[in-house]
Amino acid sequence: MKHIKIMLSKIIKEETKGSHQRLEAKMVRIIKKIKTDAEYATFLKSFYAYFNAVEQETGKFINTEILPDKALRRDSSYILADIQTLGFDLSSLPPAEAPKVENTLQALSSFYVLEGSIMGGPYIVQMLKKNGITNGFSFFEGYGDQSEEMWKKYTDVLNKFASDPAQEKSAIDIANQTFDNFEEVFMAEIVK
């Protein structure tokens, strides 16, 4: 009987479903309340704080040798540009703590959450536009018609790095922690 190996990206997607859904539910509640550029800028500051923290942590292991198109990927600099487009700066950033990663696979697994959130960006833009927000979307517009291709290139890299079940568990744990830590950044927004 032939053994079929399930790709790590599919395993992470399945094993982080609960964490992903909790984070998404909190974000949707926040987005539905956004009515002004100032409120949107506050939301973007949460994204910036967390993305920047995760990028600093994962950047120790992810370079262009690991992810050849890294320079083409959306990152916190796009979020900063959107904040500035709205007329705001990085003052009053919420606290944000990235999970500590110890190797390339963990870094790629944490980065999975960032890349995945970009895939949902067009839905965020639609919701914001319904609320009267008209600009500051360079980050959430993602890769446009290249989004599926960019996601596939990323998951192909991720899938190459897991070779045994212990590594898969570590990857899943870091991805879940990345979702959970991201959710913590938004807790202050929920209680407002």
Side-chain angles (χ1 to χ4, degrees):
M1 184 171 164
K2 187 177 176 183
H3 177 66
I4 298 173
K5 178 156 174 51
I6 299 172
M7 291 183 287
L8 179 59
S9 60
K10 303 280 188 210
I11 294 169
I12 289 175
K13 180 179 181 179
E14 188 60 35
E15 295 296 321
T16 60
K17 193 176 283 184
S19 295
H20 183 184
Q21 288 173 341
R22 282 190 304 276
L23 172 61
E24 189 175 273
K26 282 190 173 60
M27 280 192 193
V28 167
R29 285 199 305 272
I30 293 167
I31 294 166
K32 286 182 176 181
K33 293 179 183 179
I34 294 173
K35 304 293 185 215
T36 67
D37 285 354
E39 291 169 340
Y40 179 38
T42 297
F43 178 72
L44 286 172
K45 286 179 184 185
S46 295
F47 259 84
Y48 178 86
Y50 193 65
F51 268 62
N52 190 266
V54 173
E55 288 164 5
Q56 297 300 316
E57 186 66 23
T58 61
K60 300 171 191 174
F61 298 97
I62 301 174
N63 55 35
T64 54
E65 288 180 28
I66 302 296
L67 190 61
D69 62 358
K70 184 176 189 231
L72 301 175
R73 296 200 172 262
R74 292 289 192 253
D75 61 18
S76 59
S77 69
Y78 286 85
I79 305 168
L80 172 58
D82 288 337
I83 291 167
Q84 292 171 334
T85 294
L86 295 167
F88 297 89
D89 59 29
L90 293 180
S91 61
S92 305
L93 288 178
E97 185 177 335
K100 301 296 178 226
V101 296
E102 298 173 358
N103 57 51
T104 301
L105 178 60
Q106 287 182 350
L108 287 168
S109 300
S110 187
F111 198 73
Y112 169 96
V113 176
L114 303 190
E115 278 298 302
S117 72
I118 292 167
M119 297 296 288
Y123 302 104
I124 292 172
V125 171
Q126 284 179 341
M127 291 173 67
L128 290 166
K129 284 183 175 179
K130 282 183 183 176
N131 289 351
I133 305 300
T134 58
N135 57 22
F137 301 134
S138 71
F139 176 75
F140 287 126
E141 287 175 340
Y143 306 113
D145 60 1
Q146 300 288 305
S147 291
E148 290 293 328
E149 181 183 340
M150 291 295 281
W151 178 247
K152 183 177 180 339
K153 285 180 182 179
Y154 169 72
T155 57
D156 286 348
V157 170
L158 171 66
N159 291 332
K160 286 191 306 189
F161 276 86
S163 58
D164 66 55
Q167 287 181 317
E168 288 177 1
K169 180 174 181 348
S170 173
I172 292 163
D173 290 347
I174 286 290
N176 269 312
Q177 188 179 354
T178 304
F179 275 116
D180 294 344
N181 287 16
F182 200 5
E183 182 182 355
E184 287 297 315
V185 175
F186 288 99
M187 291 307 291
E189 289 299 304
I190 288 292
V191 297
K192 284 183 179 178

